[in-house]
Amino acid sequence: MTTGVRRRMGVEERRQQLIGVALELFARRSPDEVSIDEIAAAAGISRPLVYHYFPGKLSLYEAALQRAAHDLASRFEEPHEGSLGGRLLRVMRRFFDFVDEHGPGFSALMRGGPAVGSSATNALIDSVRQVAYEQILSHLRVTDPPARLELLVRSWISLVESTALIWLDGRRIPRAELETQLVHSFAALAAVGAAYDEEMTALLRHMLKDEPNDGPFTDLAARLIVLAS
């Protein structure tokens, strides 16, 4: 038989609960549109108690976005198995899973704003980009990237971000098509770099060496051949 007495949470447990509640609200609306009163009500506590655990509204936002940033960065982790095209496609699927789950919060985080435009949150965004950059280099087996390769990878990461933001505005293109298109874009950028640089040529050959007949890079080549015919 239960007594109906609510269990008292410890400080860290309550903090984590509030962060989770804030993230759930951010998934439906921009952080700027979510008030401390709403977070308190969703957590079942008073507004003053929220301020007991977080000194201000921005500090709660930053803590919530830090958790989201760690989650987003983890989406770029992928075992070094199979073709590069297949690995990138799996990463894109997980990335868009996150975008789907945290749409308004993701949009606000990437576009900036009063609640999320602090130096701390900007650093979080940069840390996610850096994780993505390092993960891709590791799959290419490159530790000291030449200038063209660094430009390629960082440009592609920016393309992924901007594509996700545009897609969120109306979702007019099927998500699966965009995921494949972004993998194709990586190969296309690599091909352009290879046209100007011998190191990039060797890298492109390495990328295509283990690509299966039904892989995304092979699919791109087939589509380009049809266009040229």
Side-chain angles (χ1 to χ4, degrees):
M1 179 177 175
T2 59
T3 62
V5 176
R6 186 176 298 174
R7 183 175 63 85
R8 189 181 185 88
M9 290 187 182
V11 172
E12 187 56 28
E13 186 179 7
R14 177 67 79 183
R15 280 177 54 86
Q16 293 306 315
Q17 182 216 17
L18 288 170
I19 290 170
V21 166
L23 281 174
E24 288 179 10
L25 292 171
F26 294 168
R28 297 191 291 271
R29 303 205 314 280
S30 164
D32 287 336
E33 299 172 358
V34 177
S35 69
I36 288 293
D37 287 333
E38 288 179 271
I39 294 172
I45 63 176
S46 66
R47 174 189 173 95
L49 195 54
V50 175
Y51 285 106
H52 174 74
Y53 294 99
F54 291 94
K57 181 177 177 179
L58 183 58
S59 65
L60 175 54
Y61 286 156
E62 288 178 350
L65 293 173
Q66 183 173 36
R67 183 190 290 183
H70 289 163
D71 182 5
L72 181 56
S74 72
R75 307 294 173 113
F76 287 91
E77 297 176 2
E78 172 68 23
H80 289 210
E81 300 170 359
S83 67
L84 179 63
R87 297 179 211 172
L88 287 178
L89 187 56
R90 289 190 291 274
V91 167
M92 286 297 93
R93 287 171 180 162
R94 288 197 300 272
F95 176 83
F96 273 89
D97 281 344
F98 180 93
V99 173
D100 242 347
E101 294 162 9
H102 302 280
F106 174 84
S107 181
L109 177 62
M110 291 303 175
R111 286 178 171 144
V116 294
S118 70
S119 58
T121 52
N122 289 337
L124 283 176
I125 297 169
D126 287 340
S127 71
V128 173
R129 291 172 179 150
Q130 186 63 24
V131 167
Y133 173 73
E134 291 172 358
Q135 282 290 323
I136 293 167
L137 288 185
S138 73
H139 285 282
L140 295 172
R141 298 179 182 177
V142 174
T143 55
D144 186 19
R148 289 187 190 277
L149 178 58
E150 180 174 3
L151 179 63
L152 182 163
V153 176
R154 294 197 185 279
S155 296
W156 183 74
I157 292 168
S158 295
L159 175 63
V160 170
E161 287 179 16
S162 59
T163 298
L165 288 171
I166 294 169
W167 178 75
L168 278 172
D169 281 340
R171 306 185 187 221
R172 292 179 294 171
I173 298 175
R175 189 186 123 177
E177 288 183 20
L178 275 187
E179 292 164 356
T180 301
Q181 183 179 316
L182 285 166
V183 176
H184 286 173
S185 296
F186 186 90
L189 288 169
V192 171
Y196 293 89
D197 187 275
E198 290 184 2
E199 284 183 289
M200 289 298 298
T201 300
L203 178 67
L204 183 63
R205 286 174 178 161
H206 170 71
M207 285 169 50
L208 299 176
K209 182 180 65 174
D210 299 321
E211 185 70 13
N213 291 333
D214 60 349
F217 291 166
T218 306
D219 175 56
L220 172 62
R223 290 173 184 269
L224 293 175
I225 290 171
V226 169
L227 287 175
S229 61

